[in-house]
Amino acid sequence: MLDYSPIDNGFEVRHEHEVLRVEQWGRDSVRVRAAQHRIPTDDVGALDALPPAAPGCRVSREGDVVTLVAGEITVRARLDSGDGKPAVMLSFHRSDDGFELLAEDREHFWWPGAHVFYGQRSGLYEIHQRFKAYAGERIYGLGQHQHGRLDHKGLVLDLVQRNTEVNIPFYLSSRGYGFLWNNPAVGRVEFAENGTRWVADAAPALDYWVTAGDSPAQIVSHYADAVGHAPQLPDWASGFWQCKLRYRSQEEILQVAREYRRRGLPLSVIVTDFFHWTAMGDYRFDPAEYPDPAAMMRELDELGVKLMVSIWPTVSPLSENYEEMSGRGLLVSSDQGVDFHQDIHDKQMPRSLPVAFYDPTNPRTRRFIWDTVKRNYFDLGVRVWWLDACEPELNPGHPKNLSFHAGPGAAVANIYPRDNARLFYEGQQAVGGGDTVLLCRSAWAGQAKYGAAVWSGDIPPTWESLAVQVRAGLSIGISGIPWWTTDIGGFHGGDPDDEAYRELYARWFAYGTFCPLFRLHGHREPRGELGSPISGGPNEVWSYGERCLEIARTHMELRERLRPYIAEVMAEASATGMPAMRTLFLDFPRDPAAWDVEDEFLLGSDLLVAPVTEPGVTSRPVYLPAGARWTEIHSGLTFEGGVTIETDAPQEYIPVFQREGGALAL
């Protein structure tokens, strides 16, 4: 028999040692928590505050079945006897017609049930959560991955942060619901044909959130309400960003910025990459390379260019701040062994040596780091931050050996990039620093509300990688990160003098023109000797020959014309949670063919972009969604939607279509 108790906005049931709490959590949404004995009071997940007020829910009980109706979603909790031990099981339905959206399923017919807690003699558990599998279901979102798939059905994904692999455990289902695994523990998810299983390797409790909606757009809107909306992208951020690994002095940065001005090329942001510091953890300019950073900032400001500064969470034992940070407990600790988790060849080092990480889950760490950054960068005028290696990038990759202020690494490691972004966003807001963009290499659920953008990490300069990034960008948009970009041309190499690579670069540049952020970066050939001070080959738009320069100029000017439209798209993303770069089915859910398209995307509602991701291509097929007329912006040809056409794609541009009747006019 179920031990049932009504609570505000929901109910609790108990069976044996398990307590299960179900409560309305936003419009058409519910949160489910389960634990042994009691629900923990500490919570480091993404659901840190109730969303805006929604119509109240209704709870009723009939025997061993408890039902909660919260708008468009209905939850039923029942005591299932199965063929063995009874277990509490949940199912989720559309409220209007009872259609089953999602249902828990047993791991085994006798034992265990759908909620499985394997004790670890530490107060933590290995937790399994099992759901039914449904034929034909498609799974979208789940952060950013390099497997090259838009639909994640049939895949197994590690729930861990790694360079290029961004773990955001939210997905949108083609069955009409969204699901958030609100657990930052290291683990995995299995979208198998015989069931879906989420696994947390070590956690105190089970915690997930489910929402229903009449459309995919409504589902992503509910999700943004639950975890937080992105702010409005600052106007300057929609322009062109120039970056390379690396500019080695303030004079080199200024020379590049001046050359953009001399050539009449638009430039919004220029970047100083790693090793601009005296030592990792000092968080200040090296005076040997930046003798007068205040003068540099004044000239960049006169040129209308923002400086983005690279900030790594690594702290060298040679840093002037190391002793204080270590003594005050501001660094990430170890479960076993010394408190060093990476090695790098930093300045002052004869070779690669161990370094520590600061702990952004600790409020005292956040205050200390921001005070240091403010004194050495912000007070000079820096307002844009590149939060590199913020997974954090471990060597060896053992997140379970970390110990944070927020808890054991196995239980909380995945929130590191989110709390790192929080450090800079809240710090800058507290001193009235205005809008910012935090360019992060990793993210977790809810990170967008801290002004976080994500780029796809240290990817290879290959055609295959370019194709993968199209899917990766669409996935992370569904996952709640509207500000996203890639390293145009890939990161690890690429020879600007090689004609074959120039073709890839030109195609990537055209694709990047229509990404939410427009950023050129890479470690080009000749890449030089590894270690400090490392610097790669040239990576400015004039580095790739005259033909590529004219292609770049044309696309940079097109981007400038698009910026008012992009501002509108970003305002929509902030208000509704709708990604800026989006799959076709987000706007055309009733067109079955739109769900099959993985190599095109919409930028807002009015532009359809068809990247070229193969060499030697001069045309490509493009599917135009039904329910609209589309005009290709280069040829001026107009087509009815609902058809696939073959359209020109010379090296000078990629096919781009404007929706007829939209607000955009090109």
Side-chain angles (χ1 to χ4, degrees):
M1 180 176 179
L2 282 180
D3 180 357
Y4 160 76
S5 302
I7 61 172
D8 289 344
N9 300 313
F11 64 87
E12 283 188 356
V13 293
R14 293 177 177 268
H15 178 66
E16 295 183 343
H17 298 299
E18 180 182 315
V19 55
L20 180 87
R21 180 182 298 170
V22 180
E23 55 194 314
Q24 182 175 18
W25 202 272
R27 188 177 298 274
D28 308 320
S29 308
V30 293
R31 182 180 185 183
V32 176
R33 282 177 278 185
Q36 296 289 290
H37 310 298
R38 66 190 64 83
I39 303 294
T41 55
D42 292 338
D43 184 1
V44 295
L47 304 177
D48 52 4
L50 276 168
C57 62
R58 304 192 311 273
V59 179
S60 60
R61 179 185 184 185
E62 185 174 339
D64 279 339
V65 177
V66 181
T67 301
L68 180 149
V69 180
E72 295 299 319
I73 194 167
T74 294
V75 187
R76 296 193 183 104
R78 62 187 174 87
L79 187 61
D80 177 65
S81 60
D83 293 323
K85 287 179 67 66
V88 180
M89 309 283 285
L90 297 179
S91 59
F92 304 84
H93 308 261
R94 280 199 305 246
S95 296
D96 56 357
D97 60 5
F99 175 79
E100 183 177 284
L101 299 167
L102 178 68
E104 295 183 335
D105 197 16
R106 286 174 173 266
E107 281 205 346
H108 185 260
F109 75 92
W110 183 75
W111 187 92
H115 322 129
V116 187
F117 299 86
Y118 293 109
Q120 298 182 344
R121 300 180 181 178
S122 64
L124 300 178
Y125 300 85
E126 179 183 322
I127 297 177
H128 297 190
Q129 171 64 60
R130 175 82 175 230
F131 294 99
K132 286 184 185 178
Y134 300 91
E137 182 177 21
R138 302 183 185 191
I139 303 293
Y140 302 98
L142 294 157
Q144 170 200 278
H145 299 279
Q146 301 298 314
H147 51 57
R149 291 265 300 273
L150 187 62
D151 177 8
H152 293 73
K153 183 65 176 177
L155 301 183
V156 176
L157 300 177
D158 291 336
L159 302 177
V160 65
Q161 310 289 16
R162 296 176 177 136
N163 187 348
T164 78
E165 299 284 331
V166 176
N167 165 35
I168 303 176
F170 170 81
Y171 72 84
L172 183 154
S173 167
S174 61
R175 292 175 64 82
Y177 71 91
F179 180 94
L180 171 67
W181 179 247
N182 188 40
N183 192 323
V186 175
R188 69 184 182 278
V189 59
E190 306 156 350
F191 294 108
E193 292 299 323
N194 65 331
T196 292
R197 180 164 59 181
W198 295 82
V199 176
D201 290 347
L206 187 154
D207 192 342
Y208 67 86
W209 176 87
V210 185
T211 189
D214 293 334
S215 67
Q218 192 175 71
I219 290 168
V220 297
S221 179
H222 291 339
Y223 173 54
D225 288 345
V227 301
H229 288 248
Q232 172 66 29
L233 183 74
D235 288 340
W236 53 262
S238 63
F240 181 70
W241 298 37
Q242 171 61 48
C243 185
K244 63 163 281 189
L245 191 151
R246 72 179 176 99
Y247 295 124
R248 289 171 292 187
S249 69
Q250 75 175 61
E251 184 56 31
E252 191 174 1
I253 286 174
L254 290 172
Q255 286 175 358
V256 171
R258 292 165 188 154
E259 185 64 11
Y260 271 92
R261 170 63 65 86
R262 189 187 73 79
R263 291 174 179 262
L265 295 167
L267 180 64
S268 290
V269 178
I270 196 166
V271 183
T272 180
D273 204 342
F274 67 169
F275 296 148
H276 70 268
W277 47 66
T278 46
M280 279 185 159
D282 285 355
Y283 304 114
R284 62 184 176 90
F285 291 109
D286 185 341
E289 299 171 358
Y290 295 81
D292 192 351
M296 174 184 65
M297 295 301 299
R298 285 194 300 271
E299 182 170 348
L300 289 175
D301 188 58
E302 291 169 0
L303 292 170
V305 177
K306 302 284 187 183
L307 179 71
M308 181 169 72
V309 170
S310 175
I311 305 280
W312 285 45
T314 40
V315 181
S316 166
L318 302 179
S319 167
E320 61 193 18
N321 296 316
Y322 176 80
E323 290 296 335
E324 180 177 1
M325 295 184 72
S326 177
R328 294 178 59 190
L330 308 183
L331 302 175
V332 176
S333 182
S334 296
D335 187 58
Q336 299 179 23
V338 296
D339 295 342
F340 295 105
H341 308 290
Q342 173 62 285
D343 66 284
I344 198 164
H345 187 183
D346 193 24
K347 290 180 175 178
Q348 307 178 44
M349 291 182 177
R351 59 177 303 278
S352 184
L353 294 173
V355 293
F357 287 93
Y358 64 63
D359 180 1
T361 75
N362 185 339
R364 296 190 307 129
T365 301
R366 295 198 294 268
R367 287 194 295 272
F368 179 89
I369 295 297
W370 175 252
D371 287 347
T372 306
V373 165
K374 178 182 180 301
R375 181 172 63 251
N376 295 330
Y377 296 124
F378 180 90
D379 289 351
L380 293 171
V382 178
R383 296 294 184 271
V384 194
W385 314 101
W386 184 4
L387 306 186
D388 205 347
C390 64
E391 293 85 5
E393 187 171 50
L394 306 174
N395 183 21
H398 295 162
K400 296 179 185 178
N401 191 44
L402 305 180
S403 178
F404 296 96
H405 179 271
V412 304
N414 285 323
I415 62 171
Y416 191 100
R418 183 201 67 188
D419 284 9
N420 194 44
R422 178 184 180 184
L423 184 169
F424 286 83
Y425 182 79
E426 291 184 344
Q428 186 152 319
Q429 292 294 304
V431 296
D435 296 330
T436 188
V437 175
L438 308 175
L439 187 62
C440 306
R441 203 170 70 184
S442 195
W444 202 67
Q447 192 160 322
K449 66 187 174 189
Y450 296 124
V454 175
W455 93 100
S456 57
D458 296 347
I459 53 176
T462 64
W463 291 99
E464 294 79 8
S465 178
L466 172 56
V468 165
Q469 303 323 308
V470 177
R471 281 83 169 170
L474 294 174
S475 293
I476 202 168
I478 290 172
S479 307
I481 305 291
W483 306 353
W484 181 84
T485 187
T486 70
D487 292 349
I488 289 176
F491 176 73
H492 285 295
D495 184 353
D497 294 328
D498 178 17
E499 285 299 328
Y501 178 69
R502 286 177 173 180
E503 181 187 1
L504 172 63
Y505 162 83
R507 293 302 198 188
W508 211 315
F509 201 95
Y511 164 65
T513 304
F514 301 96
C515 286
L517 297 182
F518 184 24
R519 172 177 163 271
L520 177 61
H521 181 53
H523 187 195
R524 299 289 171 253
E525 303 292 351
R527 289 194 275 175
E529 184 179 339
L530 290 176
S532 172
I534 191 172
S535 179
N539 190 48
E540 292 71 45
V541 294
W542 51 83
S543 306
Y544 294 86
E546 286 302 314
R547 185 181 186 187
C548 282
L549 174 58
E550 289 311 305
I551 292 171
R553 180 187 295 275
T554 298
H555 283 86
M556 294 167 81
E557 292 171 352
L558 173 58
R559 178 73 176 205
E560 289 297 301
R561 297 199 303 275
L562 284 172
R563 288 177 69 180
Y565 170 70
I566 291 172
E568 295 175 5
V569 171
M570 290 303 183
E572 181 187 9
S574 177
T576 70
M578 193 72 157
M581 178 180 175
R582 57 185 76 155
T583 56
L584 271 55
F585 67 74
L586 278 172
D587 275 80
F588 298 91
R590 290 176 175 79
D591 180 355
W595 293 79
D596 295 327
V597 178
E598 296 195 355
D599 62 347
E600 306 169 21
F601 64 93
L602 294 166
L603 178 61
S605 298
D606 294 344
L607 274 185
L608 186 151
V609 183
V612 173
T613 59
E614 297 177 358
V617 168
T618 57
S619 68
R620 63 152 289 172
V622 178
Y623 178 74
L624 302 174
R629 286 167 55 87
W630 301 90
T631 300
E632 208 285 317
I633 67 171
H634 303 96
S635 68
L637 297 176
T638 298
F639 305 88
E640 292 288 343
V643 297
T644 298
I645 64 167
E646 187 74 19
T647 189
D648 290 341
Q651 187 167 328
E652 276 65 32
Y653 63 81
I654 59 176
V656 178
F657 294 80
Q658 182 175 327
R659 178 161 29 183
E660 189 175 273
L664 176 62
L666 284 176

